[in-house]
Amino acid sequence: MPSCDKDKDYDEIPFAHVDFYINPNSSFYWQLNSPNGWIYLVANSPSRGVLVYRDLNDQFLAYERTCAHDPLVEEARIEVEASSITAVCPSCQTKYILLDGYPFEGPGKRPLKQYQTSYNGNTLHIYN
């Protein structure tokens, strides 16, 4: 018998190759020039995009925009809220803290899929 209990049976987020090099200090990425700054990057399908977030002066986090709660729902794409430290899925209403990607409100129990980042002071590499 099929179950609707998302705590017991998660759908996996499909793998998408992610490999970006950006200069967060450039005027093109001005949103990343200060703490709590963020941008969206377009990634190859089946990714719904990448959210890049700057939490401290030189620390960057990158998350898949596909909601971890119900990744097979096409509208399940996280969006940064006005606070700039949380994001929400408009489909299921799960809210995530961008400092660690974990949900704090709504039905979701799993954190956002996180990509690796490395920053040398000029170039930010986002990859999996």
PDB file of all heavy atoms in Angstrom, residues 52-65:
ATOM      1  N   VAL A  52      23.323  30.738  -3.956  1.00  0.00           N
ATOM      2  CA  VAL A  52      24.622  31.015  -3.331  1.00  0.00           C
ATOM      3  C   VAL A  52      24.370  32.056  -2.252  1.00  0.00           C
ATOM      4  O   VAL A  52      23.765  33.094  -2.497  1.00  0.00           O
ATOM      5  CB  VAL A  52      25.640  31.534  -4.362  1.00  0.00           C
ATOM      6  CG1 VAL A  52      26.987  31.799  -3.688  1.00  0.00           C
ATOM      7  CG2 VAL A  52      25.794  30.545  -5.507  1.00  0.00           C
ATOM      8  N   TYR A  53      24.864  31.771  -1.055  1.00  0.00           N
ATOM      9  CA  TYR A  53      24.609  32.615   0.114  1.00  0.00           C
ATOM     10  C   TYR A  53      25.929  32.929   0.812  1.00  0.00           C
ATOM     11  O   TYR A  53      26.755  32.037   1.035  1.00  0.00           O
ATOM     12  CB  TYR A  53      23.673  31.869   1.068  1.00  0.00           C
ATOM     13  CG  TYR A  53      23.386  32.598   2.350  1.00  0.00           C
ATOM     14  CD1 TYR A  53      22.557  33.703   2.380  1.00  0.00           C
ATOM     15  CD2 TYR A  53      23.938  32.160   3.547  1.00  0.00           C
ATOM     16  CE1 TYR A  53      22.286  34.373   3.559  1.00  0.00           C
ATOM     17  CE2 TYR A  53      23.671  32.820   4.734  1.00  0.00           C
ATOM     18  CZ  TYR A  53      22.844  33.920   4.739  1.00  0.00           C
ATOM     19  OH  TYR A  53      22.571  34.586   5.903  1.00  0.00           O
ATOM     20  N   ARG A  54      26.135  34.193   1.169  1.00  0.00           N
ATOM     21  CA  ARG A  54      27.338  34.607   1.901  1.00  0.00           C
ATOM     22  C   ARG A  54      26.947  34.830   3.349  1.00  0.00           C
ATOM     23  O   ARG A  54      26.208  35.756   3.666  1.00  0.00           O
ATOM     24  CB  ARG A  54      27.898  35.891   1.302  1.00  0.00           C
ATOM     25  CG  ARG A  54      29.202  36.316   1.934  1.00  0.00           C
ATOM     26  CD  ARG A  54      29.772  37.534   1.234  1.00  0.00           C
ATOM     27  NE  ARG A  54      31.186  37.670   1.539  1.00  0.00           N
ATOM     28  CZ  ARG A  54      32.052  38.272   0.748  1.00  0.00           C
ATOM     29  NH1 ARG A  54      31.658  38.796  -0.389  1.00  0.00           N
ATOM     30  NH2 ARG A  54      33.301  38.346   1.102  1.00  0.00           N
ATOM     31  N   ASP A  55      27.458  33.970   4.252  1.00  0.00           N
ATOM     32  CA  ASP A  55      27.046  34.113   5.645  1.00  0.00           C
ATOM     33  C   ASP A  55      27.985  34.995   6.453  1.00  0.00           C
ATOM     34  O   ASP A  55      27.550  35.735   7.303  1.00  0.00           O
ATOM     35  CB  ASP A  55      26.837  32.755   6.317  1.00  0.00           C
ATOM     36  CG  ASP A  55      28.110  31.997   6.565  1.00  0.00           C
ATOM     37  OD1 ASP A  55      29.132  32.314   5.939  1.00  0.00           O
ATOM     38  OD2 ASP A  55      28.077  31.076   7.393  1.00  0.00           O
ATOM     39  N   LEU A  56      29.259  34.939   6.208  1.00  0.00           N
ATOM     40  CA  LEU A  56      30.244  35.806   6.855  1.00  0.00           C
ATOM     41  C   LEU A  56      31.098  36.429   5.762  1.00  0.00           C
ATOM     42  O   LEU A  56      30.898  36.165   4.584  1.00  0.00           O
ATOM     43  CB  LEU A  56      31.105  35.003   7.834  1.00  0.00           C
ATOM     44  CG  LEU A  56      30.340  34.342   8.997  1.00  0.00           C
ATOM     45  CD1 LEU A  56      31.248  33.430   9.786  1.00  0.00           C
ATOM     46  CD2 LEU A  56      29.718  35.389   9.899  1.00  0.00           C
ATOM     47  N   ASN A  57      32.048  37.238   6.116  1.00  0.00           N
ATOM     48  CA  ASN A  57      32.815  37.966   5.105  1.00  0.00           C
ATOM     49  C   ASN A  57      33.371  37.086   3.996  1.00  0.00           C
ATOM     50  O   ASN A  57      33.310  37.444   2.837  1.00  0.00           O
ATOM     51  CB  ASN A  57      33.943  38.756   5.760  1.00  0.00           C
ATOM     52  CG  ASN A  57      33.394  39.933   6.526  1.00  0.00           C
ATOM     53  OD1 ASN A  57      32.345  40.467   6.184  1.00  0.00           O
ATOM     54  ND2 ASN A  57      34.093  40.339   7.573  1.00  0.00           N
ATOM     55  N   ASP A  58      33.928  35.939   4.312  1.00  0.00           N
ATOM     56  CA  ASP A  58      34.541  35.103   3.279  1.00  0.00           C
ATOM     57  C   ASP A  58      34.024  33.669   3.279  1.00  0.00           C
ATOM     58  O   ASP A  58      34.712  32.763   2.826  1.00  0.00           O
ATOM     59  CB  ASP A  58      36.065  35.096   3.442  1.00  0.00           C
ATOM     60  CG  ASP A  58      36.670  36.436   3.092  1.00  0.00           C
ATOM     61  OD1 ASP A  58      36.084  37.148   2.254  1.00  0.00           O
ATOM     62  OD2 ASP A  58      37.725  36.782   3.656  1.00  0.00           O
ATOM     63  N   GLN A  59      32.842  33.434   3.802  1.00  0.00           N
ATOM     64  CA  GLN A  59      32.282  32.086   3.805  1.00  0.00           C
ATOM     65  C   GLN A  59      31.017  32.059   2.953  1.00  0.00           C
ATOM     66  O   GLN A  59      30.081  32.827   3.173  1.00  0.00           O
ATOM     67  CB  GLN A  59      31.961  31.620   5.219  1.00  0.00           C
ATOM     68  CG  GLN A  59      31.525  30.177   5.245  1.00  0.00           C
ATOM     69  CD  GLN A  59      31.433  29.632   6.649  1.00  0.00           C
ATOM     70  OE1 GLN A  59      31.717  30.310   7.618  1.00  0.00           O
ATOM     71  NE2 GLN A  59      31.015  28.393   6.747  1.00  0.00           N
ATOM     72  N   PHE A  60      31.014  31.151   1.966  1.00  0.00           N
ATOM     73  CA  PHE A  60      29.893  31.020   1.060  1.00  0.00           C
ATOM     74  C   PHE A  60      29.294  29.630   1.161  1.00  0.00           C
ATOM     75  O   PHE A  60      30.010  28.646   1.346  1.00  0.00           O
ATOM     76  CB  PHE A  60      30.344  31.257  -0.389  1.00  0.00           C
ATOM     77  CG  PHE A  60      30.814  32.652  -0.632  1.00  0.00           C
ATOM     78  CD1 PHE A  60      32.136  33.009  -0.431  1.00  0.00           C
ATOM     79  CD2 PHE A  60      29.923  33.625  -1.065  1.00  0.00           C
ATOM     80  CE1 PHE A  60      32.571  34.303  -0.650  1.00  0.00           C
ATOM     81  CE2 PHE A  60      30.348  34.926  -1.294  1.00  0.00           C
ATOM     82  CZ  PHE A  60      31.674  35.260  -1.077  1.00  0.00           C
ATOM     83  N   LEU A  61      27.977  29.568   1.047  1.00  0.00           N
ATOM     84  CA  LEU A  61      27.244  28.302   1.041  1.00  0.00           C
ATOM     85  C   LEU A  61      26.456  28.241  -0.258  1.00  0.00           C
ATOM     86  O   LEU A  61      25.971  29.268  -0.745  1.00  0.00           O
ATOM     87  CB  LEU A  61      26.295  28.232   2.236  1.00  0.00           C
ATOM     88  CG  LEU A  61      26.964  28.355   3.604  1.00  0.00           C
ATOM     89  CD1 LEU A  61      25.945  28.688   4.667  1.00  0.00           C
ATOM     90  CD2 LEU A  61      27.689  27.067   3.935  1.00  0.00           C
ATOM     91  N   ALA A  62      26.329  27.051  -0.802  1.00  0.00           N
ATOM     92  CA  ALA A  62      25.587  26.883  -2.055  1.00  0.00           C
ATOM     93  C   ALA A  62      24.617  25.724  -1.900  1.00  0.00           C
ATOM     94  O   ALA A  62      25.002  24.637  -1.457  1.00  0.00           O
ATOM     95  CB  ALA A  62      26.538  26.635  -3.220  1.00  0.00           C
ATOM     96  N   TYR A  63      23.356  25.985  -2.248  1.00  0.00           N
ATOM     97  CA  TYR A  63      22.299  24.988  -2.104  1.00  0.00           C
ATOM     98  C   TYR A  63      21.560  24.782  -3.416  1.00  0.00           C
ATOM     99  O   TYR A  63      21.337  25.733  -4.166  1.00  0.00           O
ATOM    100  CB  TYR A  63      21.264  25.447  -1.068  1.00  0.00           C
ATOM    101  CG  TYR A  63      21.817  25.689   0.299  1.00  0.00           C
ATOM    102  CD1 TYR A  63      21.994  26.981   0.775  1.00  0.00           C
ATOM    103  CD2 TYR A  63      22.168  24.634   1.129  1.00  0.00           C
ATOM    104  CE1 TYR A  63      22.492  27.220   2.042  1.00  0.00           C
ATOM    105  CE2 TYR A  63      22.666  24.859   2.399  1.00  0.00           C
ATOM    106  CZ  TYR A  63      22.832  26.152   2.852  1.00  0.00           C
ATOM    107  OH  TYR A  63      23.335  26.378   4.103  1.00  0.00           O
ATOM    108  N   GLU A  64      21.136  23.559  -3.632  1.00  0.00           N
ATOM    109  CA  GLU A  64      20.223  23.252  -4.734  1.00  0.00           C
ATOM    110  C   GLU A  64      18.890  23.918  -4.409  1.00  0.00           C
ATOM    111  O   GLU A  64      18.427  23.886  -3.273  1.00  0.00           O
ATOM    112  CB  GLU A  64      20.046  21.731  -4.848  1.00  0.00           C
ATOM    113  CG  GLU A  64      18.971  21.288  -5.791  1.00  0.00           C
ATOM    114  CD  GLU A  64      19.213  21.694  -7.236  1.00  0.00           C
ATOM    115  OE1 GLU A  64      20.356  21.597  -7.719  1.00  0.00           O
ATOM    116  OE2 GLU A  64      18.237  22.118  -7.868  1.00  0.00           O
ATOM    117  N   ARG A  65      18.261  24.530  -5.405  1.00  0.00           N
ATOM    118  CA  ARG A  65      16.978  25.198  -5.170  1.00  0.00           C
ATOM    119  C   ARG A  65      15.811  24.223  -5.138  1.00  0.00           C
ATOM    120  O   ARG A  65      14.700  24.596  -4.749  1.00  0.00           O
ATOM    121  CB  ARG A  65      16.738  26.277  -6.220  1.00  0.00           C
ATOM    122  CG  ARG A  65      17.652  27.483  -6.018  1.00  0.00           C
ATOM    123  CD  ARG A  65      17.282  28.622  -6.908  1.00  0.00           C
ATOM    124  NE  ARG A  65      15.966  29.149  -6.569  1.00  0.00           N
ATOM    125  CZ  ARG A  65      15.244  29.934  -7.375  1.00  0.00           C
ATOM    126  NH1 ARG A  65      15.715  30.278  -8.560  1.00  0.00           N
ATOM    127  NH2 ARG A  65      14.063  30.371  -7.007  1.00  0.00           N
TER     128      ARG A  65
END
